[in-house]
Amino acid sequence: MPNVTFSSPKQKKDVTVYAVAGNRSTILGLAKEHKIPVDFECQDGNCGSCAVEVLHLGNKPAMAAHLTEKEKTALVLAGKVKQAELDELVVKDLAPGWRLACQYMLLDEDIAVKF
């Protein structure tokens, strides 16, 4: 069961919630469930308004490395990731620090989410 810590100036303090193992929820879904004020509009990966910084906690390699095509486009258009950086990360099979909360599927790894 992963721990997800949400951190933002919008909150009085960081909030850590536990995601149920096997639940195929997104960061945005978990945030909405626990009334965490992550910004969003379309909830479909098109607008980029739910871009968050994701930090992997612990010693294990990041599990949620693969970006959807919508996520790649939205992050580049939002200026969160440069195309050259994205190309390099894809080749190395690594995740960028910025993700879309509506597209990032939670797995069994502890993360910190800054927004």
Side-chain angles (χ1 to χ4, degrees), residues 88-110:
E88 183 178 340
L89 292 169
V90 169
V91 168
K92 293 181 179 179
D93 197 26
L94 299 172
W98 287 91
R99 301 294 300 262
L100 296 183
C102 70
Q103 298 293 298
Y104 186 109
M105 300 296 287
L106 296 169
L107 298 172
D108 190 17
E109 60 185 342
D110 295 343

Side-chain angles (χ1 to χ4, degrees), residues 50-61:
C50 65
V52 295
E53 188 175 6
V54 177
L55 305 168
H56 298 275
L57 307 174
N59 298 337
K60 295 190 276 184

Side-chain angles (χ1 to χ4, degrees), residues 5-86:
T5 301
F6 292 92
S7 178
S8 172
K10 295 179 179 184
Q11 304 177 134
K12 291 182 181 179
K13 62 180 184 172
D14 292 353
V15 176
T16 299
V17 296
Y18 305 99
V20 176
N23 181 353
R24 296 294 293 166
S25 182
T26 62
I27 289 174
L28 182 59
L30 186 67
K32 288 171 65 176
E33 180 182 339
H34 292 278
K35 298 181 179 20
I36 308 292
V38 172
D39 292 330
F40 67 92
E41 289 180 22
C42 75
Q43 301 182 63
D44 193 38
N46 293 317
C47 70
S49 66
C50 65
V52 295
E53 188 175 6
V54 177
L55 305 168
H56 298 275
L57 307 174
N59 298 337
K60 295 190 276 184
M63 297 172 70
H66 300 287
L67 295 139
T68 64
E69 291 304 315
K70 285 182 180 182
E71 191 172 15
K72 291 175 188 176
T73 301
L75 288 171
V76 169
L77 291 175
K80 300 299 183 184
V81 180
K82 294 184 185 324
Q83 186 63 52
E85 177 188 1
L86 183 61

